[in-house]
Amino acid sequence: MSTANLLVELFVEELPPKALKKLGESFANVLADSLKSQGLAKADAVVTAFASPRRLAVHVTEVASRAADQAVQQKLMPVAVGLDASGNATPALLKKLAALGAGPEAVAGLKRAPDGKADALFFDSVKAGATLAEGLQRALDDTIAKLPIPKVMTYQLEQGEGANFQPGWTSVNFVRPAHGLVALHGDQEVQIGALGLKAGRSTVGHRFEARVEKIILLTADTYAEQMLHDGAVIASFAERRAEIERQLAAAAAKAGADLKPIEDDALLDEVTALVERPNVLTGRFEQAFLEVPQECLILTMKANQKYFPLLDASGKLTNQFLIVSNIRPEDPSAVIGGNERVVRPRLADAKFFFDQDRKKTLESRVGGLAKVVYHGKLGTQGDRAERVRAIAHEIVKQWSLATVPFTVDAKDHFDVLDIKAQQAARLAKTDLLTDMVGEFPELQGIMGAYYARHEGLRDGVAIAIEDHYKPRFAGDALPRNHTGTVVALADKLETLVGLFGIGQLPTGDKDPFALRRHALGVIRILVENNLPLDLSALIAAVMPVFGELISNPAEHLLSFFSDRLAVSLREQGYSAQEVDAVLALQPERLGDVPRRLAAVRAFAALPEAAALAAANKRVGNILKKAETEVEAKVDVALLKEAAEAALYEALQAAAPKARAAFEEGDYTASLQALAVLRAPVDAFFDSVMVNADDAALKANRLGLLATMHKAMNQVADISRLAA
């Protein structure tokens, strides 16, 4: 059995650029995994993926020409079925053996072994290892079937084999028409086929700049080198991407000392998938276009032309941009000039949209929102804007009521905040009706802020119009001011309550309205800003603005928020026990959650923590089993045992300290004040019978435990920390 490195390449027409990276990774990994599972490649074989606009390829090290034979044991049937009373083979057994390619002589070699309630017969055989041609064909077929193809094409084959093949009539389904297949094991061709193609050793390089028309690959190991030297192709996606990054940095430095290309991984991946031999060039456009908001210009250059705009040291757009070309002419002026001519009309369109939009105020567009449907059951964007405005008013009201002390200055602040928040909420969706946002939906909010400033609206209102969508994604910034915070909360709560109220809940991995993202946005705003707002009270305040349009979603929505918060906290590094302990109490203010978690973590590190958590769990179970609800009340005269008196005295000393610290918001000190209870709690359970025969003693002891339970579970349910 010999081994050699293997190369497989599928040569196709230009692949969809946004899918190329995943296609390349899948082609390499699925094929290699299949070879490993068949015993043709080692588990630690090095797998190298190649992917360019016109090819998918993989290189796998130390692939065997034939897999090792495998011992196989197969259950046949129960002994009682396979052998008669004399121990001879039954017709059923002989038929089964014949199906496996064995004759009557194999009966003597069958093994008996217990199988459930009865013994069974087992047949030992050796399965011949697959040849490389067999195994690779199986692997390639499996790989093609599992490719994450975004949209399948159907095309007809002109060449093929088999009785059913008809030139121009036999159809194939694949991502793009395939024109070549290479399979080399060392320097030897492997006879396989796919998509109407037979594997060979020749491929094609760059469409325009290859040195030779056909590249005859010498071995599997010379693939990358020959593609680069003879084909003018950097076959590795990763290497090509790194080369583009290098050239972008070099071109930016050459264009200006402090210039840098915009950072955009998705754009870099897409451009890497569009070129086989990258060549970065620098273009320019007229300075006059810089009067347009730079977000518009950047988006049109990135989305429409795949250019990399150049920014100065302060992040401001310049009139230069970088082009990633797929050709390297001696004189690049024609390429640069062509791209400059192409981008100019795009920028002119953006300037036209910007100029036209500013001819109408945002306020004048409010009426138009009534003509834009938001949801069939929830009305128009106009209805929605009015609901968001009303919710913003309720949020400011609750925020002001929760602010202590509520001074004259605080009243003035909240009165102004209410006015600004309602104005921003009323105008926040109006930029959906502008030409710029119609062309570039990604700019909603951003353009609203520009137009608000142009009209002379307060900067706080303009910022709120832009920020009310934030956070848009994980890790995104939060709204920058209180007005934006209020409107962002109002917008997200309106979406969540409304859609939950009509039964549009996320299911599995389907979340068409991004409700999980909205919920996480609400959580982040409340937690990271430490807002004194009660989430359940907010939801209750939102529901009336919908009138009869929705049913009550509060219970489901609060559970949804709790689940999203738990997932988020675990992703931040908190243990499931820590999260469970805090969220079990359903804290009214999510802003308290980080401090509660920090307190629980500090408490868990104490030597007394494990014993107190276990005791707390035991107390909780005892109280649950009580015939009636137990009141946290103790009659000192009924404390007969020394241990229960000692526990009461310890509680009298520790509980006020814990309560005072809790009310001051020092949750860590509150929990740590209870650490002194460990010894008296242990002594209590060692020597005191809670369920005493005397009903009065029993009730008093339950009251003592309820008092302790109440004192210990102010910050978190400590019992959840018990192992």
Side-chain angles (χ1 to χ4, degrees):
M1 184 190 307
S2 61
T3 63
N5 295 341
L6 175 74
L7 173 84
V8 178
E9 184 207 62
L10 189 60
F11 178 72
V12 296
E13 293 182 14
E14 276 74 5
L15 292 159
K18 291 184 179 179
L20 180 63
K21 188 177 181 181
K22 287 186 177 180
L23 288 171
E25 291 169 351
S26 176
F27 186 85
N29 293 332
V30 174
L31 190 141
D33 288 346
S34 180
L35 293 177
K36 291 175 183 179
S37 68
Q38 296 179 72
L40 288 164
K42 296 179 180 179
D44 60 352
V46 178
V47 180
T48 305
F50 298 97
S52 82
R54 297 203 295 162
R55 69 200 76 244
L56 301 172
V58 58
H59 181 275
V60 185
T61 60
E62 296 187 71
V63 175
S65 58
R66 184 185 187 94
D69 295 342
Q70 292 181 327
V72 178
Q73 186 176 78
Q74 187 171 350
K75 177 186 170 184
L76 300 178
M77 59 190 65
V79 172
V81 176
L83 300 176
D84 60 21
S86 302
N88 297 318
T90 63
L93 177 59
L94 294 174
K95 184 177 181 181
K96 182 69 174 178
L97 288 170
L100 296 173
E105 68 279 358
V107 174
L110 297 180
K111 292 182 178 179
R112 299 188 187 194
D115 184 58
K117 295 182 180 180
D119 286 354
L121 295 171
F122 292 86
F123 177 60
D124 289 338
S125 62
V126 176
K127 181 181 179 181
T131 65
L132 178 57
E134 295 168 344
L136 183 55
Q137 184 65 65
R138 190 177 300 117
L140 183 58
D141 292 343
D142 190 38
T143 298
I144 291 174
K146 292 181 178 178
L147 279 178
I149 297 173
K151 190 173 182 180
V152 174
M153 285 185 64
T154 299
Y155 62 96
Q156 286 68 46
L157 297 177
E158 295 298 331
Q159 296 180 344
E161 295 181 335
N164 296 326
F165 175 75
Q166 296 182 8
W169 290 92
T170 300
S171 296
V172 168
N173 296 320
F174 195 52
V175 59
R176 293 289 186 270
H179 297 296
L181 179 63
V182 171
L184 287 180
H185 187 231
D187 60 358
Q188 299 297 309
E189 297 178 20
V190 185
Q191 298 305 308
I192 59 170
L195 304 174
L197 303 167
K198 276 187 175 182
R201 66 190 317 127
S202 68
T203 186
V204 178
H206 194 286
R207 190 180 287 278
F208 306 111
E209 299 190 349
R211 294 180 58 193
V212 295
E213 185 176 346
K214 278 194 175 183
I215 301 170
I216 309 301
L217 298 173
L218 302 176
T219 72
D221 294 341
T222 62
Y223 176 71
E225 181 184 352
Q226 286 188 261
M227 290 306 300
L228 182 60
H229 184 266
D230 297 332
V233 171
I234 302 175
S236 166
F237 187 96
E239 290 181 13
R240 203 163 59 255
R241 190 181 194 274
E243 174 62 15
I244 293 173
E245 282 191 289
R246 186 194 66 77
Q247 290 192 35
L248 287 172
K254 187 176 180 181
D258 296 324
L259 300 187
K260 61 179 181 179
I262 194 165
E263 294 181 7
D264 189 320
D265 285 341
L267 176 62
L268 186 56
D269 283 342
E270 188 174 359
V271 169
T272 302
L274 286 168
V275 300
E276 291 193 314
R277 191 189 189 194
N279 180 31
V280 174
L281 304 169
T282 304
R284 288 176 172 78
F285 57 84
E286 289 81 354
Q287 286 275 358
F289 287 123
L290 293 177
E291 297 173 5
V292 179
Q294 69 176 46
E295 292 90 344
C296 308
L297 304 180
I298 289 171
L299 189 56
T300 193
M301 284 190 279
K302 284 169 40 179
N304 294 321
Q305 306 305 135
K306 314 305 175 189
Y307 298 151
F308 287 83
L310 282 175
L311 310 178
D312 64 19
S314 63
K316 186 177 179 181
L317 180 68
T318 70
N319 71 323
Q320 298 185 77
F321 59 93
L322 301 180
I323 308 151
V324 183
S325 174
N326 194 34
I327 56 175
R328 297 188 180 185
E330 290 185 9
D331 180 5
S333 59
V335 176
I336 294 171
N339 279 277
E340 290 175 342
R341 285 192 297 276
V342 167
V343 78
R344 194 171 292 115
R346 296 285 189 180
L347 301 182
D349 285 346
K351 188 175 186 306
F352 175 77
F353 294 149
F354 185 57
D355 292 340
Q356 290 297 112
D357 287 341
R358 288 183 296 172
K359 293 178 181 179
K360 293 180 66 176
T361 65
L362 295 179
E363 181 64 37
S364 71
R365 298 179 187 273
V366 170
L369 291 174
K371 301 176 184 178
V372 181
V373 175
Y374 166 55
H375 189 284
K377 294 182 178 180
L378 297 175
T380 66
Q381 287 287 1
D383 298 326
R384 186 181 182 210
E386 183 57 28
R387 289 195 294 265
V388 173
R389 185 201 60 74
I391 295 167
H393 172 68
E394 286 297 324
I395 292 171
V396 175
K397 179 180 175 182
Q398 291 195 22
W399 193 348
S400 66
L401 291 174
T403 299
V404 178
F406 191 71
T407 62
V408 173
D409 288 343
K411 181 182 185 304
D412 291 343
H413 167 75
F414 284 111
D415 286 346
V416 173
L417 177 59
D418 190 24
I419 294 169
K420 291 195 294 185
Q422 290 195 58
Q423 182 183 22
R426 176 177 168 80
L427 302 177
K429 304 298 180 185
T430 54
D431 67 352
L432 296 176
L433 303 177
T434 63
D435 291 338
M436 188 71 82
V437 174
E439 180 71 13
F440 300 113
E442 301 93 331
L443 296 177
Q444 56 190 281
I446 295 171
M447 295 314 303
Y450 274 107
Y451 298 143
R453 291 190 186 96
H454 172 71
E455 295 170 25
L457 297 180
R458 311 181 202 199
D459 194 52
V461 172
I463 290 173
I465 291 173
E466 177 178 350
D467 285 3
H468 86 280
Y469 288 105
K470 293 180 179 179
R472 298 172 184 252
F473 50 84
D476 190 20
L478 297 182
R480 289 166 285 178
N481 61 22
H482 284 177
T483 308
T485 296
V486 169
V487 182
L489 273 177
D491 183 67
K492 290 169 175 57
L493 287 170
E494 191 278 339
T495 300
L496 287 159
V497 173
L499 290 169
F500 264 73
I502 59 172
Q504 294 282 356
L505 283 64
T507 55
D509 60 350
K510 295 181 179 179
D511 188 8
F513 298 102
L515 298 184
R516 293 186 181 97
R517 178 168 57 80
H518 283 299
L520 283 173
V522 171
I523 289 167
R524 282 192 60 202
I525 290 171
L526 293 176
V527 171
E528 295 179 30
N529 288 319
N530 192 21
L531 297 182
L533 296 170
D534 179 346
L535 181 58
S536 60
L538 285 176
I539 292 172
V542 171
M543 288 189 293
V545 306
F546 285 91
E548 302 297 321
L549 294 176
I550 65 171
S551 58
N552 188 344
E555 183 178 348
H556 289 116
L557 190 51
L558 283 170
S559 176
F560 182 70
F561 270 111
S562 181
D563 290 343
R564 301 323 304 162
L565 177 57
V567 170
S568 175
L569 292 172
R570 288 197 293 270
E571 288 175 350
Q572 293 174 44
Y574 294 104
S575 71
Q577 286 179 311
E578 292 168 342
V579 172
D580 194 24
V582 171
L583 297 189
L585 297 188
Q586 298 180 343
E588 293 180 350
R589 296 182 179 181
L590 297 189
D592 285 348
V593 168
R595 288 183 295 127
R596 289 176 185 254
L597 282 166
V600 167
R601 179 166 287 183
F603 174 78
L606 297 175
E608 299 89 354
L612 284 173
N616 195 46
K617 185 175 182 180
R618 184 175 178 181
V619 170
N621 290 333
I622 291 171
L623 295 175
K624 285 178 186 176
K625 293 176 182 177
E627 294 87 352
T628 59
E629 186 174 348
V630 179
E631 187 178 356
K633 183 178 180 181
V634 179
D635 184 346
V636 179
L638 292 175
L639 297 174
K640 301 298 184 183
E641 301 285 344
E644 60 183 327
L647 177 57
Y648 177 75
E649 290 176 6
L651 267 173
Q652 288 297 99
K657 295 178 182 177
R659 183 67 190 176
F662 177 81
E663 290 175 351
E664 291 175 5
D666 190 347
Y667 298 141
T668 300
S670 179
L671 279 178
Q672 291 182 344
L674 301 169
V676 297
L677 296 178
R678 176 183 176 177
V681 167
D682 289 346
F684 176 88
F685 281 118
D686 286 342
S687 58
V688 177
M689 176 67 70
V690 176
N691 293 319
D693 293 333
D694 186 316
L697 284 178
K698 177 181 177 181
N700 199 56
R701 287 168 183 172
L702 288 173
L704 176 60
L705 292 181
T707 302
M708 183 183 77
H709 197 258
K710 182 179 179 181
M712 294 184 69
N713 293 313
Q714 295 178 99
V715 175
D717 183 352
I718 299 304
S719 69
R720 306 299 177 103
L721 300 178

